[in-house]
């Protein structure tokens, strides 16, 4: 069973930056693609970005395109989400997710493994 642990969350002012990390452990060779989701209070969890575990392809939600960058470091079994120009509406708990298939997916049900989340707070 692959285990995922997020880190890097925190509090920033609007316009600031943060980098989230997701460390994978266990049989990581079974991973095909990874994703980031987020959930704000009172809202449903939503897709943010996805990447093939090989790092060869990426996909972003329109709301973060041009501001967030997803990447993978296979040598470290770690995925990252670099966030720039943060807005108050980006505040949420951010979750990393992994799936065995290599297709980039935006639906929660398509992912097999989940981390517990890391809080991002953005003040205006």
């Amino acid at each position: 069973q692959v285990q995922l642990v997020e880190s890097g969350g925190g509090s920033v002012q609007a316009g600031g930056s943060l980098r989230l990390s997701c460390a994978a452990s266990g049989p990581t060779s079974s991973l095909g693609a990874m994703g980031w989701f987020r959930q704000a209070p009172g809202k449903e969890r939503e897709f943010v970005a996805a990447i093939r575990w090989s790092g060869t392809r990426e996909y972003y939600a329109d709301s973060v395109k041009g501001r967030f960058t997803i990447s993978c470091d296979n040598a470290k079994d770690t995925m990252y989400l670099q966030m720039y120009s943060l807005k108050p509406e980006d505040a949420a708990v951010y979750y990393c997710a992994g799936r065995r298939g290599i297709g980039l997916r935006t639906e929660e049900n398509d992912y097999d493994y989940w981390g517990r989340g890391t809080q991002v707070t953005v003040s205006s």
Side-chain angles (χ1 to χ4, degrees):
Q1 183 84 348
V2 172
Q3 295 182 329
L4 303 174
V5 179
E6 304 94 336
S7 62
S11 296
V12 296
Q13 290 189 331
S17 302
L18 276 177
R19 188 176 80 158
L20 305 183
S21 299
C22 173
S25 60
T28 58
S29 60
S30 67
L31 289 170
M34 302 285 288
W36 286 99
F37 289 74
R38 66 187 182 186
Q39 186 169 23
K43 295 187 177 182
E44 294 187 353
R45 190 153 55 182
E46 65 175 2
F47 169 78
V48 175
I51 188 168
R52 284 187 177 169
W53 189 231
S54 63
T56 55
R57 189 178 174 190
E58 306 160 23
Y59 184 74
Y60 297 91
D62 288 342
S63 60
V64 306
K65 199 173 297 182
R67 299 188 298 120
F68 290 10
T69 301
I70 190 171
S71 62
C72 281
D73 184 340
N74 295 141
K76 296 182 179 180
D77 282 341
T78 301
M79 176 179 65
Y80 303 97
L81 184 68
Q82 178 67 57
M83 305 185 292
Y84 297 103
S85 301
L86 282 161
K87 305 175 182 180
E89 52 262 43
D90 293 318
V93 177
Y94 282 71
Y95 298 89
C96 72
R99 63 187 307 268
R100 292 184 289 271
I102 64 170
L104 304 186
R105 298 287 187 266
T106 64
E107 297 295 325
E108 294 180 56
N109 290 341
D110 289 323
Y111 288 81
D112 304 298
Y113 313 107
W114 288 88
R116 294 189 174 185
T118 186
Q119 178 73 51
V120 172
T121 304
V122 184
S123 57
S124 56

